[in-house]
């Protein structure tokens, strides 16, 4: 059957509909995996997990998380066939649990995606500054580099989504290539032999499993973003679910394999100590002398583009949540406007860019003269915001699993038992446990020595956003019933 063409857009400066039928399954997969940033996970996430947990069972953590998130994807993917909305979590929770919880979820999602996107500027600025200094001997402040990245993301955000998808596809493919090369080199040198040491139960069934899952969750951040693009997908009833399943499988298996290979290359008995000494530089220190200097420098540059890909992906996600809530008039209606030509959520994109700009400037001022020196953004800005966002994501996934359980069991005869009950129930239990584990390990995740108020403040901000959203939903029901009814009709019927 011939592909349908999108309806003509009205000749106005701005509209309130996203560009239709621009993304297929491959494009959705690239957008999803770009948010997870394969090279960033290996160089930053895996090494941090080895270093802070002090355990070698990191690969198993990725596999177990893949199982839990695969169960979540069963209900999440099926929901995408019934509800297509750029504010996926908000729409699904509204459909399953009601309008007020749905609005609360939208506020929680906005806080989560903005915290993640903005926090990544910290590591981007630091990495860009370091690379420029290493390659050209020029010292540039991290915040100047962060602002340069911010400008590129802002420009891409107001253009057609397929432009971002094409750029991200190239970056992600190059990232995979670098990680595969690192893995092959690791296995080829393996000083202690190619062993299954890191997979043995004694390296993860020893009280460390909770920490491994808490730290590993960050690697999957963004896997759920396929549903956010449902209105722009060519075949939303099928492509979103397929892209989500593919992304979860690729992310879990690939990250487990690459972290296992890195541990083999360093040596299972040495990987923890080396990760603690070198941190994110471990991968590049390991490659030094094993590959030509030019290739090592190229890998470092691709590490930077990997971070940029994550920035673009999370910017797109946050912009679409602003758009969805503006279109529903839960937030100011201006946020629901899109570009006449691009079909991009221009108002939401500009809002997200504005928030990022303010936070970058605040941290630039706060870090001036800090005793942490150039490490300031990667020891404060980056871990504070992104770990809070990781906690927020797990809450979102848990709530959405409960919503799917409720939604499907209203008409049990239409859905198989595994889809309507077993998968979402197991996912909700697993995700709830991970949320608790993150809270118990939050001091380690932000590298706090002893008790820090941030252990309460940062997760508290995430939870508070959801509570404010529920209160706002109650206000709309009492004072703006036409808006409340509109949200209900759009998502519940």
């Amino acid at each position: 059957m011939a592909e349908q063409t999108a309806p003509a857009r009205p000749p106005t400066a701005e509209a309130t509909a996203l560009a239709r039928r621009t993304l297929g399954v491959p494009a959705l997969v690239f957008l999803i995996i770009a948010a997870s940033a394969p090279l960033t996970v290996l160089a930053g996430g895996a090494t941090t997990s080895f270093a802070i947990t002090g355990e070698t069972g990191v690969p198993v953590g990725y596999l177990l998380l893949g199982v839990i998130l695969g169960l979540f994807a069963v209900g999440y993917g099926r929901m995408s066939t019934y509800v297509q909305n750029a504010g996926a979590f908000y729409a699904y929770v509204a459909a399953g649990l009601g309008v007020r919880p749905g609005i609360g979820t939208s506020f929680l999602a906005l806080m989560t995606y903005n915290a993640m996107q903005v926090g990544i500027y910290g590591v981007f600025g630091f990495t860009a500054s370091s690379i420029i200094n290493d390659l050209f001997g020029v010292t540039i402040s991290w915040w100047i580099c962060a602002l340069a990245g911010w400008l590129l993301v802002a420009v891409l955000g107001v253009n057609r989504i397929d432009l971002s998808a094409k750029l991200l596809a190239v970056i992600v493919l190059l990232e995979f290539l670098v990680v595969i090369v690192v893995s092959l080199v690791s296995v080829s040198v393996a000083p202690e032999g190619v062993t299954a040491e890191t997979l043995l139960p004694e390296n993860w069934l020893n009280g460390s499993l909770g920490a491994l899952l808490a730290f590993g969750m960050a690697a999957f951040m963004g896997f759920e973003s396929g549903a956010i693009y449902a209105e722009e997908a060519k075949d939303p009833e099928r492509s979103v679910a397929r892209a989500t399943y593919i992304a979860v499988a690729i992310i879990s298996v690939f990250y487990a394999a690459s972290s296992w290979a890195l541990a083999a290359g360093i040596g299972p008995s040495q990987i923890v100590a080396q990760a603690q000494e070198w941190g994110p530089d471990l991968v590049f220190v390991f490659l030094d002398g094993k590959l030509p200097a030019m290739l090592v420098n190229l890998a470092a540059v691709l590490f930077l583009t990997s971070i940029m890909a994550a920035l673009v992906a999370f910017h797109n996600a946050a912009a679409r949540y602003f758009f969805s809530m503006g279109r529903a008039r839960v937030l100011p209606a201006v946020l629901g406007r899109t570009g006449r030509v691009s079909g991009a959520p221009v108002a939401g994109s500009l809002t997200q860019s504005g928030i990022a700009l303010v936070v970058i400037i605040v941290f630039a001022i706060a870090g001036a003269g800090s005793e942490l020196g150039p490490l300031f953004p990667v020891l404060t800005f980056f871990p504070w915001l992104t770990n809070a966002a990781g906690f927020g994501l797990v809450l979102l996934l848990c709530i959405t699993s409960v919503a799917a359980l409720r939604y499907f069991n209203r008409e049990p005869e239409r859905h198989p038992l595994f889809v309507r009950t077993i998968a979402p129930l197991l996912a909700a239990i697993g995700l709830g446990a991970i949320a608790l584990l993150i809270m118990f390990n939050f001091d380690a995740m932000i590298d706090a020595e002893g008790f820090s108020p941030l252990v309460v403040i940062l997760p508290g901000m995430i939870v508070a956003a959801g509570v404010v959203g529920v209160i706002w939903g109650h206000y709309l029901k009492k004072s703006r019933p036409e808006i409340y009814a509109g949200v209900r009709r759009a998502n519940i019927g």
Side-chain angles (χ1 to χ4, degrees):
M1 184 172 66
E3 183 178 333
Q4 296 179 344
T5 58
R9 297 175 61 80
T12 56
E14 293 179 310
T16 57
L18 295 166
R20 298 284 179 170
R21 297 184 175 89
T22 56
L23 301 173
V25 172
L28 286 170
V29 171
F30 282 123
L31 283 166
I32 293 170
I33 295 179
S36 297
L39 185 53
T40 301
V41 168
L42 179 63
T47 54
T48 300
S49 292
F50 281 123
I52 296 182
T53 65
E55 300 292 343
T56 61
V58 171
V60 177
Y62 290 134
L63 292 176
L64 292 177
L65 285 168
V67 172
I68 294 172
L69 297 180
L71 291 170
F72 167 82
V74 171
Y76 190 68
R78 190 155 182 109
M79 286 289 285
S80 71
T81 67
Y82 295 93
V83 182
Q84 284 98 48
N85 191 303
F89 286 129
Y90 136 72
Y92 295 175
V93 174
L97 299 179
V99 175
R100 276 178 291 190
I103 293 174
T105 301
S106 72
F107 279 57
L108 176 60
L110 277 174
M111 178 66 80
T112 295
Y113 280 110
N114 276 287
M116 176 58 71
Q117 200 274 348
V118 176
I120 293 173
Y121 280 113
V123 73
F124 178 86
F126 170 80
T127 303
S129 177
S130 298
I131 290 175
I132 292 172
N133 187 44
D134 291 343
L135 296 181
F136 306 107
V138 178
T139 301
I140 300 178
S141 297
W142 72 267
W143 59 268
I144 295 177
C145 296
L147 288 176
W150 169 86
L151 181 60
L152 177 57
V153 173
V155 171
L156 289 172
V158 296
N159 279 282
R160 285 174 60 88
I161 185 61
D162 51 345
L163 174 61
S164 292
K166 291 172 183 176
L167 174 63
L168 295 179
V170 173
I171 293 175
V172 169
L173 287 173
L174 290 173
E175 286 184 65
F176 271 108
L177 180 61
V178 172
V179 174
I180 289 171
V181 169
V182 173
S183 299
L184 292 175
V185 172
S186 298
V187 172
S188 69
V189 300
E192 299 173 21
V194 179
T195 73
E197 177 68 23
T198 54
L199 307 179
L200 297 178
E202 58 261 31
N203 292 317
W204 51 276
L205 279 180
N206 56 3
S208 66
L209 182 59
L212 291 173
L213 293 177
F215 281 97
M217 191 65 205
F220 293 83
M221 187 78 184
F223 88 95
E224 77 298 337
S225 59
I228 294 171
Y229 303 102
E231 295 181 51
E232 298 157 278
K234 292 179 180 179
D235 184 10
E237 288 79 11
R238 288 180 291 219
S239 58
V240 170
R242 289 175 181 172
T244 303
Y245 297 144
I246 292 170
V248 170
I250 290 175
I251 290 170
S252 59
V253 174
F254 189 75
Y255 291 170
S258 58
S259 58
W260 165 81
L262 180 64
I266 303 295
S269 67
Q270 297 297 315
I271 183 63
V272 170
Q274 291 292 307
Q276 290 171 341
E277 179 179 355
W278 295 105
D281 286 336
L282 176 61
V283 169
F284 308 107
V285 171
F286 168 72
L287 292 177
D288 190 28
K290 298 180 179 66
L291 292 177
M294 183 179 70
L295 292 181
V296 177
N297 290 335
L298 178 60
V301 172
L302 286 173
F303 179 43
L304 181 63
T305 60
S306 169
I307 301 170
M308 172 57 68
L311 282 168
V312 172
F314 285 117
H315 172 87
N316 287 335
R320 278 154 181 77
Y321 266 96
F322 278 121
F323 162 80
S324 178
M325 301 313 296
R327 182 176 58 183
R329 293 192 297 157
V330 172
L331 293 178
V334 66
L335 293 172
R337 295 179 181 175
T338 58
R340 179 178 61 85
V341 176
S342 67
V346 172
S349 178
L350 293 175
T351 301
Q352 202 287 320
S353 294
I355 292 171
L357 179 61
V358 170
V359 178
I360 291 171
I361 292 173
V362 168
F363 273 90
I365 295 171
S370 170
E371 62 182 16
L372 298 176
L375 289 174
F376 175 80
V378 292
L379 294 178
T380 58
F381 190 0
F382 174 63
W384 292 358
L385 295 187
T386 57
N387 282 311
F391 174 66
L393 174 66
V394 176
L395 288 182
L396 286 167
L397 299 180
C398 184
I399 295 168
T400 304
S401 292
V402 175
L405 183 70
R406 179 84 177 274
Y407 181 84
F408 295 135
N409 278 282
R410 288 189 186 129
E411 298 178 296
E413 68 281 356
R414 296 182 59 188
H415 312 286
L417 176 64
F418 182 75
V419 172
R420 74 173 185 265
T421 301
I422 296 175
L425 179 60
L426 291 176
I429 293 172
L431 291 163
I434 293 174
L436 291 175
L437 291 170
I438 290 176
M439 291 184 65
F440 290 141
N441 290 278
F442 206 81
D443 54 345
M445 297 176 77
I446 62 172
D447 199 24
E449 296 182 1
F451 175 77
S452 169
L454 292 174
V455 173
V456 176
I457 293 172
L458 292 173
M461 288 173 57
I462 298 294
V463 174
V467 173
V468 168
V470 172
I471 294 172
W472 183 246
H474 182 74
Y475 165 79
L476 291 177
K477 183 177 183 180
K478 299 298 182 181
S479 303
R480 304 292 299 278
E482 72 284 0
I483 294 177
Y484 189 90
V487 173
R488 181 178 180 85
R489 285 194 302 271
N491 296 296
I492 302 176

